[in-house]
Amino acid sequence: MGEETDAPLLPSQHLKRTGTIWTAVAHIITGVIGSGVLSLAWSMAQLGWIAGPLIMIFFALVTLISTYLLSDSYRFPHPQFGPSTNTSYLQAVNTTLGKKASWICGLMVELSLYGTGIAYTITSAISMRAIQKSNCYHKEGHDGNCQYSDTSNMILFGAFQVILSQIPNFQNMQWLSIVAALMSFIYASIGFALGLAQVIENGYVLGSITGVAASSAADKVWNISQAIGDIAFAYPYALILLEIQDTLKSLPPENVTMKKASTIALALTTFFYVCCGAFGYAAFGENTPGNLLTGFGFYEPYWLIDFANASIVLHLLGAYQVYSQPVFATTEQWFKQKYPDSLFIDKNYILKLPGFPAFRLNGFRVCFRTLYAVSITAISITFPYFNQVIGLLGALNFWPLSIYFPVKMYFRQRNIEAWTVKWVMLQVFSIVVFCLSAFALVGAIEGVLSARLREEAYMAGRGLQYSNITELTDIIKLIYYSELIFS
C-alpha cells in the first residue's frame, strides 16, 4: 500500500468523461425504477382504468419537461457553449440563482437524498424478508406462522453499503448502474408477467373505471391522493441528473445527449409502470395488494418470487449509491475547501491486491462514508415504519426540487421576460404541479396519522404497554408491512 496527496485539478486535468447516451440511460433507470414500481398496481386500483394510466403518463411528461429544463443548466451561462459546468444540482442553483436560494435548496436536497437512503434500506429489508417468508409458506403452507425480523436484513444491507460507498464517484460506478438497471427490468418484468398470468388464469379482467370502493367519500379522496403521491414520487430524478450529465462526453453537447437519454429512459420506465400497474389491478381487482411481490399477491412459483425479490435487493444496492454519491461529493468538497492543508482529508492510500486493479483509499472518505451508511442503517432499524415519513418528505420536496428551481433557473439562464408566452406557459405548468403536489402532501399526512391511530387502536385492543419496546416494534412492523400503505 502506497500513499499520495491530492492536488487541485487544472481544467485540462479534469477526469476524462467517457459516458454515452446508454450509460446515462442505465444511470437514470437505476435512479428512477425502484421497488415502488410494484406498488403501482395499488395506485391503479385506487384511480381506476381511465385515471390510472393517464396520471402515470402525465407525471412522465412532467418529469421529462423538468429534465429538459434542468439539463440546460449543466453549462453556464450558455447551455452548450458555456465555459463553466455545474456538476451538481446544488451548484447549478448557486451559480444561477445565488447563495440564498442555494442554502434553501441545499437543505431540501441533502434531506431528500438522505431520506432516500433510509427508504431503500427499509425496502431492501422488506424484500429480503419476503424471500424468507416465501420459502416458509412453500414449506408450511399459506397459513404457516412465517414472521421474521428486519433488523438483521438491514444490518446486512448496511454492511454492503459501507463497502460500496468507498467507490470514489459516479465515473467509477457505471458498471454498478448497469447491473442495477438490469435487475430493475428483471423484477419489473416478473411482476408484469405474474399479473398477466393471473389474468389469464382468472379468464377475465377485474377492476372498474372508478377504482376500488371505499367506506366513505372522504376515504376515497384520501386513497386517490395517496395514489397520486405514489405515482408522482416514483418518477423524478432531478437531484442526480447533473451528476449523471457530468459523466457524458462533451461531443455531442451534454444537454443534447441527456435529453435523448431522458426520453428513452422515461419511455421505458412508463411502459413498465403502466404494465405492472394495469396487470396487477386486472389480476386482483378490489383485493390488489400494496406490493405484488412483497405483499404476497402471489405465493407460487416461490422460486420466481425469491428471484424477483433478490433482484430488488441487488437493484437497490446500486440505486442507494446513485442517490448517495451527490451527498458524498458535496460534503467532501466542502471539507476540502474548508481545510485545504489537512492531510487526513487530502492524503490518499493506494491499495493493491493481487489480481485486482489499484484502489485509492482516503482516510476522511472512509470515515465519513462509513458513518453515513451506519447512521442510515441505525435510523432504519429504529424506525422501521419510516417509509411513511419519507413519503411525507417526498411530498414536501417534489415541487420545489423537481419543478420550481428548474423553472427559475431556466428563466434566469435564458433571460425569459415576464408575461411572454413561454413565461406564462411555464408558470402555469409550475402552478398545476404545485396543486397536485399539495394534494398529495395532504394525503401523505392523512396516511401517517391514520396508520398511527390504527397502531394505537390495535395495541390498545391487545392491552400492550409502550414500555415493551421489542414487542411494540415487532407489532408496528407487522401491521405496517401487512397493510403496505406505502411500499
Side-chain angles (χ1 to χ4, degrees):
M1 179 184 289
E3 64 179 59
E4 63 179 24
T5 302
D6 280 339
L9 290 173
L10 297 174
S12 60
Q13 296 174 310
H14 193 275
L15 290 173
K16 184 178 180 181
R17 293 181 285 126
T18 59
T20 66
I21 185 173
W22 297 113
T23 61
V25 168
H27 282 313
I28 294 169
I29 292 176
T30 301
V32 174
I33 299 183
S35 61
V37 63
L38 300 174
S39 70
L40 293 177
W42 180 87
S43 299
M44 181 81 79
Q46 311 312 310
L47 296 168
W49 280 120
I50 295 179
L54 289 179
I55 290 293
M56 289 186 189
I57 294 172
F58 171 80
F59 276 104
L61 293 175
V62 167
T63 303
L64 187 61
I65 293 172
S66 173
T67 60
Y68 270 48
L69 298 176
L70 190 57
S71 62
D72 284 342
S73 300
Y74 175 68
R75 288 193 175 273
F76 187 84
H78 191 277
Q80 290 187 3
F81 308 111
S84 64
T85 58
N86 296 312
T87 59
S88 70
Y89 186 99
L90 193 57
Q91 185 181 354
V93 173
N94 183 58
T95 302
T96 310
L97 301 178
K99 287 190 175 181
K100 183 178 180 180
S102 70
W103 275 102
I104 298 173
C105 177
L107 179 62
M108 296 179 179
V109 168
E110 302 305 317
L111 183 62
S112 179
L113 293 173
Y114 188 82
T116 300
I118 296 172
Y120 282 175
T121 300
I122 297 173
T123 304
S124 296
I126 298 173
S127 291
M128 286 187 270
R129 177 163 56 86
I131 294 174
Q132 295 172 303
K133 292 180 70 174
S134 174
N135 293 330
C136 177
Y137 285 137
H138 179 70
K139 294 178 181 178
E140 305 292 336
H142 298 172
D143 297 325
N145 183 21
C146 301
Q147 302 301 328
Y148 298 91
S149 170
D150 288 325
T151 300
S152 58
N153 293 332
M154 291 182 187
I155 293 175
L156 179 62
F157 184 82
F160 272 99
Q161 291 304 336
V162 169
I163 298 172
L164 292 175
S165 293
Q166 304 311 315
I167 297 174
N169 51 48
F170 263 114
Q171 299 284 350
N172 302 101
M173 59 176 291
Q174 292 182 358
W175 62 272
L176 184 61
S177 279
I178 292 173
V179 171
L182 178 61
M183 293 299 103
S184 69
F185 274 118
I186 288 175
Y187 71 73
S189 298
I190 291 174
F192 159 70
L194 288 174
L196 176 60
Q198 186 66 47
V199 172
I200 295 174
E201 181 180 336
N202 292 341
Y204 51 86
V205 173
L206 297 174
S208 65
I209 294 177
T210 58
V212 299
S215 58
S216 66
D219 286 342
K220 181 65 175 178
V221 171
W222 297 133
N223 290 340
I224 291 174
S225 174
Q226 293 176 32
I228 291 175
D230 281 355
I231 295 172
F233 310 130
Y235 275 104
Y237 56 99
L239 296 183
I240 59 173
L241 184 142
L242 293 180
E243 278 86 356
I244 296 173
Q245 193 165 338
D246 191 46
T247 67
L248 299 176
K249 299 175 182 178
S250 57
L251 289 176
E254 301 91 346
N255 65 331
V256 173
T257 303
M258 195 65 197
K259 290 175 182 178
K260 291 180 180 178
S262 295
T263 303
I264 295 171
L266 285 172
L268 294 172
T269 299
T270 304
F271 172 77
F272 276 104
Y273 280 6
V274 172
C275 287
C276 289
F279 282 104
Y281 180 38
F284 296 101
E286 295 279 327
N287 299 316
T288 302
N291 189 303
L292 292 179
L293 296 179
T294 65
F296 288 92
F298 304 99
Y299 290 90
E300 299 292 344
Y302 81 99
W303 59 267
L304 188 60
I305 305 298
D306 290 352
F307 181 65
N309 280 293
S311 299
I312 292 174
V313 175
L314 289 174
H315 171 249
L316 294 184
L317 281 170
Y320 180 108
Q321 286 302 311
V322 169
Y323 280 93
S324 296
Q325 286 292 335
V327 180
F328 299 157
T330 300
T331 304
E332 290 165 11
Q333 184 63 33
W334 185 87
F335 273 95
K336 281 186 178 183
Q337 293 176 353
K338 187 73 174 179
Y339 306 102
D341 300 322
S342 172
L343 294 179
F344 176 67
I345 296 175
D346 277 348
K347 184 181 293 184
N348 289 320
Y349 297 90
I350 305 299
L351 177 64
K352 183 69 174 70
L353 298 176
F356 291 90
F359 189 80
R360 294 199 310 171
L361 290 177
N362 176 279
F364 177 78
R365 180 194 301 153
V366 170
C367 293
F368 167 67
R369 297 188 182 192
T370 299
L371 287 174
Y372 181 90
V374 169
S375 68
I376 285 180
T377 304
I379 293 175
S380 301
I381 293 172
T382 306
F383 302 100
Y385 46 88
F386 201 59
N387 305 45
Q388 294 174 326
V389 179
I390 296 303
L392 180 62
L393 294 175
L396 289 170
N397 291 331
F398 173 71
W399 175 74
L401 295 180
S402 297
I403 306 300
Y404 176 79
F405 284 114
V407 169
K408 289 296 182 183
M409 286 190 289
Y410 184 82
F411 284 164
R412 182 68 58 84
Q413 188 171 23
R414 295 299 184 97
N415 295 317
I416 305 297
E417 296 183 1
W419 302 111
T420 59
V421 174
K422 185 175 290 187
W423 185 91
V424 171
M425 291 179 65
L426 287 175
Q427 289 287 24
V428 170
F429 165 73
S430 180
I431 292 171
V432 169
V433 177
F434 169 78
C435 292
L436 284 175
S437 183
F439 181 55
L441 174 61
V442 173
I445 295 173
E446 193 277 338
V448 171
L449 296 177
S450 295
R452 181 60 181 172
L453 290 174
R454 281 194 291 268
E455 290 167 7
E456 292 180 355
Y458 182 85
M459 289 183 289
R462 288 283 303 274
L464 298 175
Q465 301 296 321
Y466 280 90
S467 58
N468 193 343
I469 299 300
T470 301
E471 186 178 4
L472 174 62
T473 300
D474 289 340
I475 289 174
I476 289 174
K477 287 155 66 176
L478 176 60
I479 296 171
Y480 173 71
Y481 289 129
S482 64
E483 294 181 355
L484 283 173
I485 296 170
F486 291 104
S487 66

